[in-house]
Amino acid sequence: MTDTTLDPAIADLVRGAAWVTVCSGAGMSAESNVPTFRDAETGLWERFDPTELATPQAWSRDSAMVWAWYQWRAKLVRSTTPNPGHVALAEWADRRTVMVVTQNVDDLHERAGSAVTAHLHGSLFEPRCSHCDLPYSGIDADPEVATETLRVQPPSCPRCLSEVRPGVVWFGEPLPSHAWERAADAAAGCDLLIVVGTSGIVYPAASLPERALAAGIPVIEINPEPTPLSSLVTHFMQTTAAVGLPALLQEVPPAG
Ligand code: BJW
């Protein structure tokens, strides 16, 4: 897709939106070489199903394996850089109100210059005590010291000596309530909602575009593959984040 093929109706929507809310998922970071969740994994972890590891049950069964996996992912993210899709959103915020609501646990939106409204599923870089929730910042949680081994004993909480866990949201766990409230407000108040790079099957995050559509707010989806949402949205752009978002930004005149 190039800017010359952009649907004029999409261009009109983008030009007319003073407040845009963007809901991003793993595909947002795919072109930064961060693996998505449901695509095939490669390398050290190819023997594991990531959706099996991102559960409280996996943590109870083998916390050392889960800790090592998250430290490996944090180190991998540190080695990557934002792609043109991340950069386009940061530049868009110089011209209009842009709120980024992400399911991603990486920090690529922030490193591109966006102020993220909500990290719905937490962060790779905010480990905390599994018992008392005290944030943990010991050197042994620094991703730079992570090694490519299958098991690493998690650090101990300095306050209660329980194991430190990754600061992410696993299946069956509630989303951080402040993040969810900010996300719901951002989706309810915007003029245009853009959903990018998510399979749209994990709730409650997947309900945000559904709610926006029900409220009459136009929704544009960007994804190289159709999802359950694609037939419901106002416009489906079958392309990638690093192509689709810069193409949309071209329609937004600079502020002033
Ligand atoms: C590209 C691209 C490119 C590729 N450009 N695109 C209602 C109905 C049914 C079930 C439920 C429900 N409500 C709740 C549930 C249960 C459950 C759930 O949703 N289950 C479904 C799977 C059936 N939800 C939960 O358990 C949630 N908690 C909850 O609801 O709590 C309630 C509660 C209240 C009070 C007390 C207790 C509980 C929590 C969900 C947590 C999800 N956690 C994970 C792991 C996070 C940590 C980690 O990263 O390890 O979050 S799972 C994983 O999936 C991760 C992701 O954020 C999330 C979504 O994945 P995403 O981003 O969509 O990635 P993919 O890989 O699926 O898709 C990538 C897409 O990108 C694809 O479409 C590609 O085509 C596309 N793509 N290249 C653009 N270049």
Side-chain angles (χ1 to χ4, degrees), residues 17-172:
W19 174 359
V20 178
T21 292
V22 179
C23 296
S24 67
M28 180 78 224
S29 301
E31 287 151 292
S32 295
N33 295 321
V34 180
T36 65
F37 244 84
R38 290 166 183 82
D39 295 338
E41 293 272 340
T42 54
L44 180 65
W45 299 98
E46 66 187 345
R47 285 174 288 152
F48 302 100
D49 177 352
T51 56
E52 288 292 318
L53 280 162
T55 65
Q57 292 76 18
W59 177 253
S60 302
R61 206 166 42 232
D62 194 343
S63 59
M65 185 167 84
V66 173
W67 178 258
W69 186 59
Y70 277 95
Q71 287 297 93
W72 170 77
R73 285 178 56 200
K75 190 173 185 176
L76 181 146
V77 165
R78 281 272 165 85
S79 73
T80 66
T81 53
N83 65 57
H86 295 107
V87 173
L89 292 181
E91 287 181 14
W92 201 326
D94 293 336
R95 307 178 190 184
R96 298 282 191 275
T97 298
V98 175
M99 295 197 178
V100 176
V101 171
T102 188
Q103 295 177 78
N104 296 345
V105 294
D106 65 48
D107 60 352
L108 291 172
H109 282 300
E110 287 92 337
R111 282 200 268 141
S114 288
V116 172
T117 300
H119 271 280
L120 291 175
H121 296 160
S123 165
L124 286 170
F125 306 106
E126 294 175 9
R128 65 175 194 275
C129 175
S130 58
H131 180 68
C132 72
D133 282 340
L134 185 72
Y136 185 80
S137 57
I139 185 70
D140 42 359
D142 185 339
E144 294 311 319
V145 303
T147 53
E148 290 206 358
T149 52
L150 288 182
R151 286 186 173 74
V152 176
Q153 192 56 38
S156 296
C157 172
R159 184 159 70 189
C160 75
L161 302 182
S162 299
E163 286 181 332
V164 170
R165 59 162 282 176
V168 302
V169 181
W170 289 319
F171 282 118

Side-chain angles (χ1 to χ4, degrees), residues 6 23 50 91 105 124 174 190 223 227 239 243:
L6 194 66
C23 296
E91 287 181 14
V105 294
L124 286 170
C190 62
N223 198 310
T227 72
T239 187
V243 172

